[in-house]
Amino acid sequence: MGHNQSKHPEFHRDNLKKEGYVIMVSKSKEKRRWLVLSDKKLSYSLSLGTPPKNSTTINNKFRVTYDNSSENSIECQVVNKKGKTQQWIIKCETVQEYRAWSLIIKHAQRPNWDDPRGSSSCKICNGKFTAVTRQHHCRKCGLAVCKKDSKEREIIPELGYNTKVRVCKNCIGKRSNETPDLNS
Ligand SMILES: [Zn+2]
Ligand SMILES: [Zn+2]
């Protein structure tokens, strides 16, 4: 590829980091916890500097099931570090914190884009990429695909894409976590 693809931010999900106090709601009890998002992992501890009590990986088993700005709360279905499916309810103290957490969790769910060094051919039709047939990426699965295999545009609210973006023909109409996860 003529230009340096690897500089594109979509190849670098691992840079996403956020931490701060939130309220974790469990069995209708509210507990103040230190929440950390780093390297596609979400974990919480009793306070800043203490070891994590629980953690989950943001992969295709992770999903946000409820996201409500009027309550500043985000509900996620997660698989915890022991492999158990759990519901995490994250309540934020301010609407600004809620918005920041909601956005970064959605961004962490986006797939890493296929091959930062540049793929040589389309992962759907195997057609070679050239100066004319350029490489594109599906926002839902991250695969490198050609133009004719990625004609559709969709909004993908669960990944924080609120305007229409490129989607490959395998992903049309599917939830993002029904598509193959390149990271696992
Ligand atoms: Zn193709
Ligand atoms: Zn796709």
Short mmCIF file of all heavy atoms in Angstrom, two decimals, residues 48-91:
data_model
loop_
_atom_site.label_atom_id
_atom_site.label_comp_id
_atom_site.label_asym_id
_atom_site.label_seq_id
_atom_site.Cartn_x
_atom_site.Cartn_y
_atom_site.Cartn_z
N LEU A 48 -8.62 2.93 44.22
CA LEU A 48 -7.42 3.17 43.40
C LEU A 48 -6.20 2.51 44.06
O LEU A 48 -5.96 2.70 45.25
CB LEU A 48 -7.21 4.68 43.27
CG LEU A 48 -5.88 5.18 42.69
CD1 LEU A 48 -5.66 4.68 41.27
CD2 LEU A 48 -5.85 6.70 42.70
N GLY A 49 -5.47 1.71 43.28
CA GLY A 49 -4.25 1.11 43.79
C GLY A 49 -4.43 -0.26 44.43
O GLY A 49 -3.44 -0.88 44.81
N THR A 50 -5.67 -0.75 44.54
CA THR A 50 -5.87 -2.11 45.08
C THR A 50 -6.09 -3.08 43.92
O THR A 50 -6.51 -2.68 42.84
CB THR A 50 -7.08 -2.16 46.05
OG1 THR A 50 -8.26 -1.82 45.33
CG2 THR A 50 -6.89 -1.20 47.22
N PRO A 51 -5.79 -4.39 44.14
CA PRO A 51 -5.91 -5.34 43.03
C PRO A 51 -7.37 -5.50 42.57
O PRO A 51 -8.28 -5.35 43.36
CB PRO A 51 -5.37 -6.65 43.61
CG PRO A 51 -5.30 -6.46 45.08
CD PRO A 51 -5.25 -5.00 45.35
N PRO A 52 -7.58 -5.83 41.28
CA PRO A 52 -8.95 -5.96 40.76
C PRO A 52 -9.74 -7.05 41.49
O PRO A 52 -9.21 -8.12 41.77
CB PRO A 52 -8.75 -6.32 39.30
CG PRO A 52 -7.33 -6.08 38.99
CD PRO A 52 -6.56 -6.08 40.27
N LYS A 53 -11.01 -6.75 41.79
CA LYS A 53 -11.92 -7.74 42.37
C LYS A 53 -12.51 -8.61 41.26
O LYS A 53 -12.86 -9.76 41.48
CB LYS A 53 -13.10 -7.04 43.07
CG LYS A 53 -12.74 -6.20 44.27
CD LYS A 53 -12.50 -7.04 45.49
CE LYS A 53 -13.82 -7.49 46.12
NZ LYS A 53 -13.53 -8.30 47.33
N ASN A 54 -12.67 -8.02 40.09
CA ASN A 54 -13.34 -8.72 39.01
C ASN A 54 -12.93 -8.07 37.69
O ASN A 54 -12.56 -6.90 37.68
CB ASN A 54 -14.86 -8.62 39.19
CG ASN A 54 -15.61 -9.76 38.51
OD1 ASN A 54 -15.05 -10.48 37.67
ND2 ASN A 54 -16.88 -9.91 38.85
N SER A 55 -12.95 -8.86 36.63
CA SER A 55 -12.59 -8.27 35.33
C SER A 55 -13.28 -9.02 34.21
O SER A 55 -13.76 -10.14 34.38
CB SER A 55 -11.07 -8.34 35.14
OG SER A 55 -10.65 -9.68 35.06
N THR A 56 -13.35 -8.37 33.06
CA THR A 56 -13.93 -8.99 31.88
C THR A 56 -13.19 -8.49 30.65
O THR A 56 -12.62 -7.39 30.68
CB THR A 56 -15.43 -8.68 31.75
OG1 THR A 56 -15.97 -9.41 30.64
CG2 THR A 56 -15.70 -7.19 31.51
N THR A 57 -13.15 -9.29 29.61
CA THR A 57 -12.54 -8.87 28.36
C THR A 57 -13.65 -8.37 27.43
O THR A 57 -14.71 -9.00 27.35
CB THR A 57 -11.79 -10.04 27.71
OG1 THR A 57 -10.82 -10.50 28.66
CG2 THR A 57 -11.06 -9.61 26.45
N ILE A 58 -13.39 -7.27 26.78
CA ILE A 58 -14.37 -6.74 25.83
C ILE A 58 -14.15 -7.44 24.49
O ILE A 58 -13.34 -7.02 23.68
CB ILE A 58 -14.28 -5.20 25.74
CG1 ILE A 58 -14.56 -4.62 27.14
CG2 ILE A 58 -15.25 -4.66 24.70
CD1 ILE A 58 -14.61 -3.12 27.20
N ASN A 59 -14.84 -8.56 24.31
CA ASN A 59 -14.73 -9.33 23.06
C ASN A 59 -16.13 -9.55 22.52
O ASN A 59 -17.06 -8.83 22.90
CB ASN A 59 -13.99 -10.66 23.32
CG ASN A 59 -14.68 -11.49 24.39
OD1 ASN A 59 -15.85 -11.27 24.71
ND2 ASN A 59 -13.96 -12.43 24.96
N ASN A 60 -16.33 -10.55 21.65
CA ASN A 60 -17.66 -10.70 21.06
C ASN A 60 -18.69 -11.33 22.01
O ASN A 60 -19.85 -11.46 21.65
CB ASN A 60 -17.59 -11.42 19.71
CG ASN A 60 -17.02 -12.82 19.83
OD1 ASN A 60 -16.65 -13.26 20.93
ND2 ASN A 60 -16.92 -13.51 18.72
N LYS A 61 -18.29 -11.69 23.23
CA LYS A 61 -19.27 -12.15 24.23
C LYS A 61 -19.77 -10.99 25.09
O LYS A 61 -20.72 -11.13 25.84
CB LYS A 61 -18.65 -13.24 25.11
CG LYS A 61 -18.36 -14.51 24.33
CD LYS A 61 -18.05 -15.66 25.28
CE LYS A 61 -17.76 -16.93 24.51
NZ LYS A 61 -16.37 -16.93 23.99
N PHE A 62 -19.08 -9.87 25.01
CA PHE A 62 -19.44 -8.69 25.80
C PHE A 62 -20.54 -7.93 25.06
O PHE A 62 -20.47 -7.75 23.85
CB PHE A 62 -18.19 -7.82 25.93
CG PHE A 62 -18.41 -6.54 26.69
CD1 PHE A 62 -18.08 -6.47 28.04
CD2 PHE A 62 -18.94 -5.42 26.06
CE1 PHE A 62 -18.27 -5.29 28.75
CE2 PHE A 62 -19.13 -4.24 26.76
CZ PHE A 62 -18.80 -4.17 28.10
N ARG A 63 -21.57 -7.51 25.78
CA ARG A 63 -22.51 -6.60 25.14
C ARG A 63 -23.14 -5.61 26.11
O ARG A 63 -23.36 -5.93 27.27
CB ARG A 63 -23.55 -7.32 24.30
CG ARG A 63 -24.59 -8.12 25.02
CD ARG A 63 -25.68 -8.61 24.06
NE ARG A 63 -25.17 -9.45 22.98
CZ ARG A 63 -25.92 -9.90 21.98
NH1 ARG A 63 -27.18 -9.57 21.91
NH2 ARG A 63 -25.40 -10.66 21.04
N VAL A 64 -23.37 -4.42 25.60
CA VAL A 64 -24.08 -3.42 26.39
C VAL A 64 -25.57 -3.69 26.19
O VAL A 64 -26.05 -3.69 25.07
CB VAL A 64 -23.71 -1.99 25.93
CG1 VAL A 64 -24.55 -0.96 26.67
CG2 VAL A 64 -22.22 -1.73 26.14
N THR A 65 -26.28 -3.98 27.28
CA THR A 65 -27.69 -4.33 27.15
C THR A 65 -28.60 -3.15 27.46
O THR A 65 -29.79 -3.16 27.12
CB THR A 65 -28.05 -5.50 28.09
OG1 THR A 65 -27.60 -5.20 29.41
CG2 THR A 65 -27.38 -6.79 27.62
N TYR A 66 -28.08 -2.14 28.11
CA TYR A 66 -28.88 -0.98 28.48
C TYR A 66 -27.94 0.19 28.68
O TYR A 66 -26.89 0.05 29.29
CB TYR A 66 -29.62 -1.30 29.78
CG TYR A 66 -30.64 -0.28 30.23
CD1 TYR A 66 -31.83 -0.12 29.54
CD2 TYR A 66 -30.41 0.50 31.36
CE1 TYR A 66 -32.77 0.81 29.96
CE2 TYR A 66 -31.34 1.42 31.78
CZ TYR A 66 -32.52 1.57 31.08
OH TYR A 66 -33.45 2.48 31.50
N ASP A 67 -28.34 1.34 28.13
CA ASP A 67 -27.44 2.48 28.13
C ASP A 67 -28.35 3.70 28.26
O ASP A 67 -29.03 4.06 27.32
CB ASP A 67 -26.69 2.47 26.79
CG ASP A 67 -25.64 3.55 26.67
OD1 ASP A 67 -25.16 4.04 27.70
OD2 ASP A 67 -25.31 3.90 25.53
N ASN A 68 -28.43 4.27 29.46
CA ASN A 68 -29.47 5.26 29.72
C ASN A 68 -28.92 6.55 30.31
O ASN A 68 -28.47 6.58 31.45
CB ASN A 68 -30.50 4.64 30.65
CG ASN A 68 -31.73 5.52 30.77
OD1 ASN A 68 -31.65 6.74 30.87
ND2 ASN A 68 -32.89 4.89 30.75
N SER A 69 -29.01 7.61 29.51
CA SER A 69 -28.45 8.89 29.95
C SER A 69 -29.27 9.53 31.07
O SER A 69 -28.73 10.29 31.87
CB SER A 69 -28.34 9.85 28.77
OG SER A 69 -29.62 10.10 28.26
N SER A 70 -30.57 9.20 31.17
CA SER A 70 -31.34 9.84 32.24
C SER A 70 -30.98 9.27 33.61
O SER A 70 -31.18 9.91 34.63
CB SER A 70 -32.84 9.73 31.97
OG SER A 70 -33.23 8.39 32.00
N GLU A 71 -30.42 8.06 33.61
CA GLU A 71 -29.98 7.46 34.89
C GLU A 71 -28.46 7.41 35.00
O GLU A 71 -27.94 6.86 35.97
CB GLU A 71 -30.53 6.03 35.00
CG GLU A 71 -32.04 5.98 35.13
CD GLU A 71 -32.59 4.59 34.85
OE1 GLU A 71 -31.86 3.60 35.02
OE2 GLU A 71 -33.77 4.52 34.43
N ASN A 72 -27.77 7.93 33.99
CA ASN A 72 -26.29 7.85 33.94
C ASN A 72 -25.82 6.41 34.12
O ASN A 72 -24.82 6.16 34.78
CB ASN A 72 -25.64 8.73 35.00
CG ASN A 72 -25.88 10.20 34.76
OD1 ASN A 72 -26.24 10.60 33.66
ND2 ASN A 72 -25.68 11.00 35.79
N SER A 73 -26.55 5.46 33.54
CA SER A 73 -26.21 4.07 33.83
C SER A 73 -26.04 3.22 32.58
O SER A 73 -26.71 3.40 31.56
CB SER A 73 -27.22 3.51 34.83
OG SER A 73 -28.00 2.52 34.28
N ILE A 74 -25.08 2.30 32.65
CA ILE A 74 -24.72 1.41 31.54
C ILE A 74 -24.80 -0.02 32.09
O ILE A 74 -24.15 -0.33 33.09
CB ILE A 74 -23.28 1.68 31.05
CG1 ILE A 74 -23.08 3.16 30.69
CG2 ILE A 74 -22.92 0.78 29.88
CD1 ILE A 74 -21.63 3.61 30.75
N GLU A 75 -25.61 -0.84 31.43
CA GLU A 75 -25.72 -2.24 31.86
C GLU A 75 -25.02 -3.11 30.84
O GLU A 75 -25.30 -3.00 29.65
CB GLU A 75 -27.21 -2.61 31.88
CG GLU A 75 -27.71 -3.08 33.21
CD GLU A 75 -29.21 -3.27 33.15
OE1 GLU A 75 -29.66 -4.30 32.62
OE2 GLU A 75 -29.92 -2.36 33.63
N CYS A 76 -24.15 -3.99 31.30
CA CYS A 76 -23.41 -4.84 30.36
C CYS A 76 -23.60 -6.30 30.74
O CYS A 76 -23.65 -6.64 31.92
CB CYS A 76 -21.92 -4.54 30.41
SG CYS A 76 -21.50 -2.81 30.31
N GLN A 77 -23.69 -7.15 29.71
CA GLN A 77 -23.61 -8.59 29.95
C GLN A 77 -22.17 -8.97 29.67
O GLN A 77 -21.65 -8.74 28.57
CB GLN A 77 -24.57 -9.32 29.03
CG GLN A 77 -24.62 -10.81 29.32
CD GLN A 77 -25.52 -11.50 28.33
OE1 GLN A 77 -26.73 -11.26 28.30
NE2 GLN A 77 -24.95 -12.33 27.49
N VAL A 78 -21.52 -9.55 30.67
CA VAL A 78 -20.08 -9.83 30.54
C VAL A 78 -19.80 -11.29 30.92
O VAL A 78 -20.61 -11.93 31.59
CB VAL A 78 -19.24 -8.91 31.47
CG1 VAL A 78 -19.66 -7.46 31.34
CG2 VAL A 78 -19.29 -9.35 32.92
N VAL A 79 -18.66 -11.79 30.48
CA VAL A 79 -18.14 -13.06 30.99
C VAL A 79 -16.96 -12.68 31.88
O VAL A 79 -16.01 -12.07 31.42
CB VAL A 79 -17.71 -13.99 29.84
CG1 VAL A 79 -17.11 -15.27 30.40
CG2 VAL A 79 -18.88 -14.30 28.93
N ASN A 80 -17.07 -12.99 33.18
CA ASN A 80 -16.04 -12.52 34.11
C ASN A 80 -14.80 -13.41 34.05
O ASN A 80 -14.72 -14.36 33.26
CB ASN A 80 -16.60 -12.40 35.53
CG ASN A 80 -16.83 -13.75 36.21
OD1 ASN A 80 -16.53 -14.80 35.65
ND2 ASN A 80 -17.38 -13.71 37.39
N LYS A 81 -13.81 -13.10 34.89
CA LYS A 81 -12.52 -13.81 34.79
C LYS A 81 -12.63 -15.30 35.14
O LYS A 81 -11.77 -16.08 34.77
CB LYS A 81 -11.46 -13.11 35.64
CG LYS A 81 -11.73 -13.06 37.12
CD LYS A 81 -10.59 -12.35 37.84
CE LYS A 81 -10.88 -12.27 39.33
NZ LYS A 81 -9.86 -11.53 40.07
N LYS A 82 -13.72 -15.68 35.86
CA LYS A 82 -13.93 -17.11 36.14
C LYS A 82 -14.76 -17.80 35.05
O LYS A 82 -15.14 -18.96 35.19
CB LYS A 82 -14.61 -17.28 37.49
CG LYS A 82 -13.69 -16.94 38.66
CD LYS A 82 -14.43 -17.04 39.98
CE LYS A 82 -13.51 -16.68 41.13
NZ LYS A 82 -14.29 -16.21 42.30
N GLY A 83 -15.10 -17.06 33.99
CA GLY A 83 -15.88 -17.64 32.90
C GLY A 83 -17.37 -17.61 33.13
O GLY A 83 -18.14 -18.24 32.40
N LYS A 84 -17.80 -16.91 34.16
CA LYS A 84 -19.22 -16.83 34.50
C LYS A 84 -19.88 -15.62 33.82
O LYS A 84 -19.31 -14.54 33.82
CB LYS A 84 -19.35 -16.67 36.02
CG LYS A 84 -20.47 -17.47 36.65
CD LYS A 84 -20.48 -17.30 38.15
CE LYS A 84 -21.84 -16.78 38.59
NZ LYS A 84 -21.85 -16.29 39.97
N THR A 85 -21.07 -15.84 33.24
CA THR A 85 -21.80 -14.72 32.64
C THR A 85 -22.45 -13.90 33.75
O THR A 85 -23.11 -14.45 34.62
CB THR A 85 -22.86 -15.23 31.64
OG1 THR A 85 -22.19 -15.99 30.64
CG2 THR A 85 -23.60 -14.09 30.98
N GLN A 86 -22.22 -12.61 33.72
CA GLN A 86 -22.74 -11.72 34.76
C GLN A 86 -23.32 -10.47 34.12
O GLN A 86 -23.01 -10.14 32.99
CB GLN A 86 -21.60 -11.25 35.68
CG GLN A 86 -21.01 -12.31 36.54
CD GLN A 86 -19.99 -11.71 37.51
OE1 GLN A 86 -19.22 -10.83 37.15
NE2 GLN A 86 -20.01 -12.18 38.75
N GLN A 87 -24.13 -9.80 34.91
CA GLN A 87 -24.62 -8.49 34.50
C GLN A 87 -23.92 -7.44 35.36
O GLN A 87 -23.94 -7.54 36.58
CB GLN A 87 -26.12 -8.45 34.73
CG GLN A 87 -26.77 -7.20 34.21
CD GLN A 87 -28.23 -7.13 34.61
OE1 GLN A 87 -28.60 -7.42 35.75
NE2 GLN A 87 -29.05 -6.74 33.68
N TRP A 88 -23.27 -6.50 34.70
CA TRP A 88 -22.64 -5.41 35.42
C TRP A 88 -23.45 -4.14 35.19
O TRP A 88 -23.74 -3.79 34.03
CB TRP A 88 -21.20 -5.15 34.92
CG TRP A 88 -20.20 -6.17 35.33
CD1 TRP A 88 -20.45 -7.41 35.85
CD2 TRP A 88 -18.78 -6.06 35.24
NE1 TRP A 88 -19.26 -8.07 36.08
CE2 TRP A 88 -18.22 -7.25 35.72
CE3 TRP A 88 -17.92 -5.05 34.79
CZ2 TRP A 88 -16.85 -7.48 35.77
CZ3 TRP A 88 -16.55 -5.27 34.84
CH2 TRP A 88 -16.03 -6.49 35.34
N ILE A 89 -23.82 -3.47 36.27
CA ILE A 89 -24.51 -2.19 36.14
C ILE A 89 -23.57 -1.10 36.65
O ILE A 89 -23.18 -1.11 37.82
CB ILE A 89 -25.85 -2.20 36.91
CG1 ILE A 89 -26.73 -3.35 36.42
CG2 ILE A 89 -26.56 -0.85 36.76
CD1 ILE A 89 -27.99 -3.57 37.23
N ILE A 90 -23.20 -0.23 35.73
CA ILE A 90 -22.24 0.84 36.05
C ILE A 90 -23.01 2.15 36.08
O ILE A 90 -23.60 2.56 35.09
CB ILE A 90 -21.15 0.90 34.95
CG1 ILE A 90 -20.42 -0.45 34.83
CG2 ILE A 90 -20.18 2.05 35.23
CD1 ILE A 90 -19.65 -0.61 33.53
N LYS A 91 -23.06 2.76 37.26
CA LYS A 91 -23.73 4.06 37.37
C LYS A 91 -22.69 5.14 37.61
O LYS A 91 -21.77 4.97 38.40
CB LYS A 91 -24.71 4.06 38.55
CG LYS A 91 -26.13 3.68 38.13
CD LYS A 91 -27.04 3.48 39.31
CE LYS A 91 -27.63 4.78 39.83
NZ LYS A 91 -28.65 4.50 40.88
#
